Amino acid sequence: MPTNTLSPDEDPCGPGMKVSHSSRWNYGLCSRSWFYEKEYGWRGLALPLLVFGHAVEETVCRVLRESPELISANAASHVLDSPTHQKTVVWGRRDRQETHIDQRPESEEKWLGPKLMLFGDAPSDIEEIRKWAHARVDVHWPRAIEGARIAWENDANRSGNWNEFMQARGNLGPNHAKNALDMHIEEVLACLEANGGPTLESWRKGIRPIISAPDGRPNYHTIPHPFANSEGSATLAECWEIARPWFVDPEAGSFTQQAMLPEGWFQGEYDLVYRWEGTPRIVDLKASNGTSEWAAAYPVQMKTYAWLWWASHDHEMVSGLETWYMGAASRKKYNLPSQTDLQKMQQELNQFWHDHMATRGSRDITNYPPNPAPVPSHSPGGGDVIEVKDPSERCKVCLWANICEGSGEMMEISSTEWEDVNGTSHQFNDLSQVNSRVNVFGTISTWKGGEWRHGGIAPALGIWGGGTSTWVSSYKGGPKEIPEGLHVGSKVRVIDTYFAKTRKGGLQLKLDDLSRIEIAEEAKEGDIVPSSLPRINIRGRVMSLAKGQGEHNFGTWKRWGASIATENGNIDLSAMNEDIPFISAEINRGDEIVILNAIATAFGAKLQGALDQLSQIAIIK
Ligand code: SF4
């Protein structure tokens, strides 16, 4: 539920620096594993199971959006799709276009819900509604699972066999979704029994919650529903509408429906929020039977959601917390926390943010020792713990076991020199000694003073030297201070700046709060001119991969990346567009590779290696 949305420019924490339930829980499973993923950015395997869960939830939400009296059982899946559309395109940074998607256009014209007409042979009792809901699952499922397969196919860290997964488990998807809808139908019946509940009268007048369910109508739609009676007992058709929970709009962009604290340091995404009883009840959908160790995480997850609602709704308490295990067709209800519990939770979560999230980029690995937790399993439906395995079992399936000293299976990473096919020997850099910060001497060729809206000076300038000009721009607020009177023609030293890749694939220098600009008549020892790029050779093991594509103001962009662990440090490789080497298609997680002539760049405080046409990669094994 998108409470307190913050645009990227206004977000004081930014992506990767917010606490979420999963980040906090995973820290407790092993702090070292957490460190690898949060600090080094190593990504887990993209298994079919992960996207399968999304497909089941998407299917459930597509049916929840519809009405048995408006959508026939065999209507096409897209008939009530939300008209999310591109609203504005802004220049988030000088080199990047940011598209703002309007997730909930206000114009009635764009929405199909108000245009639908009642049809004659609509389901008239709850059994017919159940049959209708199950038939709608069969219509929506192929679309949802195909979208999931495409997302899995395109993931750089894809693992597993899709067809085998679908035969073994994926084919249960429609059953899972039908189980969830049966539980929703229990809600509709309860609402009918309560004569529509306390919101019946306001609903009949067309009054909707501030953030209404994405039911094919705009958020601020005030026209009473076509099924709304002016008086009398609530009907089944009315209760289907009134009981509809808020859910994640399948057409909304990823991560746009997250609830966020106004201060920005926590975010989480509810699956369903039921409000027909007049108070909020939060439900989380699980595409499983609740026997895995994750069942232990769910009570904490739900308590965290109770806190998030409380903290972002003027201390309003939720009236229910439930996990719906779609694989076991069962709902698990949790005891509600007290105000005191929630206050304590807020302190703990905020402390976690201070200790572990706000320190992103400067976390010390020695504070994150290998400390795997035992591995429990549960009876179906998130029931009692039936077995607890030794912590070493966690290491046996850990993706980082070959790099972690706690696993007992750590592999050596060689940094010895390497001979290429021409017999040329190459030495490798010690990454612990590579400083991505450089001091650059040159003449200002373009000058744009600026101001970042959240404070800072944020200058941007062209700097000329060595026969070339390089653009220098600010990261967030840029340097804390700059000399007065800078102008085109000023000779300057730009101190502790770093090279960074643009989306276009070019290189520019970045200024952050550690950088300075100094007026200087001549260069000092160690200064470089803008044209001299710091190049490094790397030998290491591929820990995870990344790829992406999109559009910017110059057209489309493509990116390939790899996180590399070396004997003496870690680095993220990144290549854009035509600089992406052909061999990237052959590189897999776990491969030992060498990279020659990468450019030492940075993203914030993190060392990166950018590839260009002079860089080379070879797979050793
Ligand atoms: S191998 Fe074991 S100790 Fe090391 S990160 Fe993985 S779970 Fe933690």
Side-chain angles (χ1 to χ4, degrees):
M1 182 176 278
T3 47
N4 307 314
T5 50
L6 294 170
S7 77
D9 263 9
E10 293 166 340
D11 188 346
C13 296
M17 283 177 76
K18 297 183 193 310
V19 184
S20 66
H21 159 71
S22 60
S23 70
R24 183 166 173 261
W25 182 263
N26 291 342
Y27 174 84
L29 299 182
C30 177
S31 66
R32 174 58 63 82
S33 170
W34 188 93
F35 175 88
Y36 291 146
E37 292 169 23
K38 295 296 174 190
E39 184 67 10
Y40 291 166
W42 297 350
R43 295 166 199 208
L45 291 176
L47 297 166
L49 181 61
L50 297 176
V51 290
F52 164 77
H54 296 157
V56 176
E57 287 177 24
E58 176 185 325
T59 302
V60 172
C61 292
R62 289 195 183 283
V63 182
L64 287 175
R65 175 159 61 191
E66 299 177 337
S67 305
E69 285 79 3
L70 293 175
I71 309 280
S72 68
N74 60 356
S77 172
H78 61 264
V79 72
L80 208 53
D81 281 6
S82 295
T84 50
H85 75 298
Q86 183 173 307
K87 186 163 71 173
T88 52
V89 176
V90 296
W91 300 82
R93 298 181 195 165
R94 283 184 172 78
D95 62 336
R96 189 180 298 181
Q97 174 178 289
E98 285 174 2
T99 305
H100 289 184
I101 304 290
D102 190 353
Q103 309 292 345
R104 204 79 196 264
E106 287 174 27
S107 162
E108 290 275 335
E109 281 300 296
K110 295 183 165 58
W111 293 87
L112 292 169
K115 297 177 185 140
L116 295 174
M117 294 168 65
L118 293 162
F119 60 95
D121 56 350
S124 55
D125 64 36
I126 202 72
E127 271 319 306
E128 282 191 28
I129 286 182
R130 191 189 315 278
K131 278 190 206 150
W132 168 86
H134 289 195
R136 295 307 293 155
V137 166
D138 293 334
V139 169
H140 291 305
W141 174 250
R143 178 188 186 191
I145 196 65
E146 177 59 7
R149 187 192 63 76
I150 291 169
W152 174 80
E153 286 272 357
N154 288 331
D155 197 304
N157 295 292
R158 182 182 75 218
S159 178
N161 179 302
W162 184 263
N163 291 334
E164 284 176 11
F165 171 78
M166 288 305 292
Q167 274 174 10
R169 185 158 173 188
N171 59 13
L172 297 174
N175 272 359
H176 287 12
K178 288 170 188 175
N179 287 341
L181 286 158
D182 284 352
M183 288 186 261
H184 172 68
I185 286 169
E186 290 170 7
E187 297 288 330
V188 176
L189 282 175
C191 180
L192 186 65
E193 214 161 278
N195 192 27
T199 64
L200 173 67
E201 289 313 313
S202 59
W203 177 82
R204 281 178 167 174
K205 289 178 189 154
I207 298 169
R208 290 155 70 84
I210 290 173
I211 300 178
S212 59
D215 58 353
R217 294 169 181 78
N219 199 31
Y220 304 109
H221 182 75
T222 54
I223 302 165
H225 199 279
F227 308 157
N229 296 321
S230 52
E231 56 184 21
S233 301
T235 65
L236 187 55
E238 286 181 309
C239 288
W240 176 271
E241 300 301 320
I242 295 168
R244 177 182 291 117
W246 179 89
F247 55 88
V248 177
D249 187 338
E251 272 72 59
S254 303
F255 304 113
T256 60
Q257 302 301 291
Q258 303 247 340
M260 197 185 295
L261 275 195
E263 301 81 21
W265 57 265
F266 189 98
Q267 69 180 19
E269 189 171 83
Y270 316 121
D271 284 343
L272 309 178
V273 182
Y274 278 94
R275 293 177 285 190
W276 67 265
E277 296 149 301
T279 50
R281 180 159 43 95
I282 298 177
V283 171
D284 208 66
L285 299 172
K286 303 294 180 195
S288 69
N289 61 7
T291 55
S292 77
E293 72 156 313
W294 292 108
Y298 300 150
V300 181
Q301 178 188 20
M302 299 316 293
K303 185 177 165 188
T304 308
Y305 284 168
W307 163 75
L308 181 57
W309 186 279
W310 174 84
S312 45
H313 290 87
D314 291 330
H315 293 186
E316 181 186 18
M317 301 292 280
V318 298
S319 59
L321 296 169
E322 298 177 15
T323 300
W324 289 5
Y325 289 105
M326 296 186 279
S330 69
R331 59 169 96 194
K332 179 165 181 167
K333 299 182 179 183
Y334 301 95
N335 292 334
L336 294 177
S338 66
Q339 293 261 3
T340 312
D341 290 337
L342 297 182
Q343 276 157 353
K344 196 165 160 238
M345 181 165 233
Q346 172 145 320
Q347 283 167 4
E348 286 169 7
L349 288 169
N350 191 251
Q351 192 62 48
F352 186 84
W353 179 77
H354 275 288
D355 294 345
H356 302 294
M357 303 308 288
T359 51
R360 183 183 179 216
S362 59
R363 300 176 185 116
D364 182 343
I365 194 168
T366 59
N367 293 329
Y368 297 85
N371 57 357
V375 186
S377 54
H378 295 253
S379 60
D384 294 338
V385 174
I386 52 173
E387 190 186 4
V388 179
K389 290 187 182 151
D390 189 78
S392 59
E393 293 298 315
R394 189 175 300 284
C395 299
K396 284 183 189 158
V397 293
C398 178
L399 295 172
W400 323 124
N402 63 2
I403 207 86
C404 167
E405 70 268 27
S407 68
E409 293 180 13
M410 193 175 169
M411 289 169 71
E412 290 221 336
I413 301 179
S414 172
S415 61
T416 52
E417 64 181 35
W418 173 76
E419 202 173 273
D420 66 21
V421 287
N422 300 319
T424 308
S425 217
H426 300 275
Q427 306 283 328
F428 296 98
N429 290 82
D430 176 348
L431 290 188
S432 65
Q433 302 302 313
V434 174
N435 184 1
S436 58
R437 301 269 165 175
V438 290
N439 301 336
V440 178
F441 175 75
T443 305
I444 294 178
S445 55
T446 312
W447 172 252
K448 283 186 182 174
E451 211 171 279
W452 193 46
R453 73 168 78 166
H454 301 294
I457 306 159
L461 57 146
I463 184 166
W464 173 266
T468 188
S469 183
T470 298
W471 188 248
V472 187
S473 68
S474 293
Y475 177 65
K476 296 203 167 172
K480 289 184 180 134
E481 55 185 57
I482 54 173
E484 281 188 16
L486 290 177
H487 54 79
V488 172
S490 298
K491 288 185 177 168
V492 291
R493 294 180 68 229
V494 185
I495 298 163
D496 283 336
T497 177
Y498 57 90
F499 283 99
K501 273 272 187 184
T502 67
R503 291 268 160 170
K504 194 182 174 190
L507 276 170
Q508 61 175 224
L509 285 161
K510 284 286 188 190
L511 300 168
D512 64 9
D513 57 350
L514 301 176
S515 313
R516 287 184 292 130
I517 301 177
E518 183 178 283
I519 295 173
E521 277 310 304
E522 55 188 33
K524 287 194 178 166
E525 193 181 339
D527 287 359
I528 63 171
V529 290
S531 58
S532 57
L533 301 175
R535 292 195 179 262
I536 51 176
N537 293 344
I538 306 156
R539 177 171 183 161
R541 194 172 296 284
V542 178
M543 302 310 296
S544 72
L545 296 163
K547 67 179 181 181
Q549 59 186 32
E551 289 184 12
H552 55 45
N553 48 314
F554 302 104
T556 57
W557 59 266
K558 263 199 313 189
R559 177 181 171 270
W560 173 85
S563 297
I564 311 293
T566 76
E567 189 189 22
N568 35 44
N570 300 283
I571 188 166
D572 284 346
L573 287 185
S574 172
M576 300 294 298
N577 306 328
E578 63 273 13
D579 290 337
I580 298 175
F582 287 123
I583 200 172
S584 65
E586 309 290 321
I587 295 174
N588 295 308
R589 294 166 68 109
D591 286 348
E592 188 181 4
I593 64 174
V594 298
I595 306 104
L596 305 178
N597 279 324
I599 306 162
T601 62
F603 181 70
K606 201 171 176 189
L607 177 65
Q608 291 196 328
L611 305 181
D612 66 3
Q613 299 290 321
L614 297 179
S615 310
Q616 286 177 284
I617 297 185
I619 303 171
I620 296 182
K621 58 189 174 189

